[in-house]
Amino acid sequence: LKPDAILFAISQYNLSGGAQKRLAAALEQGSSLPMRLVRMEGPGQPLGAALDALVAAGHCNILVQPLGLPFPESLRAWLPGAIGHWLAQSSGGVTVLLGKELADISDILAASARSAIAHADEAEPASAANMALGKPGWQDPPDFKHHLIVCTGPRCAYRDAASLLVALKDEVARQKVSNDCLTTRTGCMFPCNQGPMVAVYPKGEWYRLADAGDVTRFVQTVLVGGRTEPDLLIHTARLAREPA
Ligand code: FES
């Protein structure tokens, strides 16, 4: 079965927008098929939305190619189930092939080593004058009231946790509580089926925020109003249930 499009699923937790564009451009250059790229963790288009977009563009035999140096085993084990979930919800008529771990990964790594050595004369000398660690700006934690921990693990990423992270930061700013909040992202926190989700400490409350309306309500009620929003609450941590 010949694929008519390829979707690269990459695992790289910290990747800037610019680096992602360069990676996509390099893959596009080497691909003879229409292609897309998704990240298994972190911001960007979720896997299911990328498959939807390829189907909407008329593709029906899609090769999903895990890409990492190496691709993590846990994500490799999870990917078939995520694609199965998408297939179960799709309207049918589409075949998704799951590519094997790249066979020539050792060739790629060996080529990287050769290239690094071949271009060593272009390397720039490092200088102690550029010392970055220990600068005063990175000394103290911010004086926050709410620590918002947004899950961007693979299952929440499938449910568009990247958009939640952006929407939450925007709404916190719009409702003028940015200075009260420290927002960080994290890997899987376990209640994946209820994602995308954010945990708020020290309240010890975990919320599912599925759309922009939920985000607005959460910020208004929980962060600005200091109350609990029962409709969105999925969990209360033991420290909040059993205060010392
Ligand atoms: S991936 Fe978010 S809770 Fe598991």
Side-chain angles (χ1 to χ4, degrees):
L1 194 59
K2 286 259 185 265
D4 58 11
I6 182 165
L7 174 62
F8 291 102
I10 65 166
S11 171
Q12 200 158 358
Y13 198 71
N14 287 310
L15 190 68
S16 69
Q20 184 168 329
K21 273 189 195 144
R22 290 194 293 279
L23 181 58
L27 289 169
E28 190 159 25
Q29 203 175 23
S31 171
S32 56
L33 295 173
M35 61 131 311
R36 280 183 175 255
L37 178 150
V38 293
R39 293 177 62 187
M40 301 300 295
E41 318 98 338
Q45 190 175 42
L47 177 75
L51 287 168
D52 286 340
L54 286 170
V55 171
H59 302 294
C60 54
N61 292 317
I62 302 166
L63 173 63
V64 174
Q65 180 58 56
L67 185 62
L69 294 174
F71 195 79
E73 279 106 344
S74 58
L75 285 180
R76 185 66 179 75
W78 175 72
L79 197 48
I83 294 170
H85 180 84
W86 179 82
L87 281 170
Q89 296 186 332
S90 75
S91 49
V94 177
T95 304
V96 178
L97 309 164
L98 183 56
K100 291 195 172 307
E101 180 76 15
L102 291 175
D104 58 353
I105 200 163
S106 52
D107 292 348
I108 296 171
L109 292 172
S112 298
R114 281 194 297 276
S115 172
I117 292 166
H119 292 91
D121 57 343
E122 297 164 26
E124 294 176 6
S127 164
N130 294 333
M131 179 181 83
L133 299 183
K135 287 186 176 170
W138 301 104
Q139 180 69 20
D140 298 315
D143 188 24
F144 62 88
K145 197 168 154 191
H146 310 290
H147 188 184
L148 310 178
I149 305 169
V150 180
C151 179
T152 53
R155 293 167 187 82
C156 285
Y158 185 94
R159 295 184 165 91
D160 207 8
S163 297
L164 167 59
L165 188 64
V166 174
L168 192 53
K169 284 187 173 175
D170 287 351
E171 190 61 22
V172 157
R174 198 182 69 80
Q175 298 200 34
K176 301 188 174 22
V177 282
S178 294
N179 290 342
D180 290 342
C181 299
L182 172 66
T183 305
T184 54
R185 61 188 171 118
T186 182
C188 180
M189 295 172 74
F190 295 104
C192 317
N193 295 344
Q194 302 190 68
M197 52 149 297
V198 57
V200 191
Y201 282 87
K203 276 177 84 69
E205 293 177 348
W206 297 27
Y207 289 93
R208 175 174 196 266
L209 305 181
D211 56 33
D214 289 353
V215 172
T216 302
R217 194 144 55 109
F218 164 76
V219 174
Q220 177 67 50
T221 306
V222 180
L223 304 183
V224 177
R227 302 185 303 279
T228 296
E229 177 52 77
D231 290 350
L232 304 174
L233 188 70
I234 57 169
H235 175 64
T236 303
R238 196 194 303 173
L239 69 88
R241 296 196 312 265
E242 301 172 4

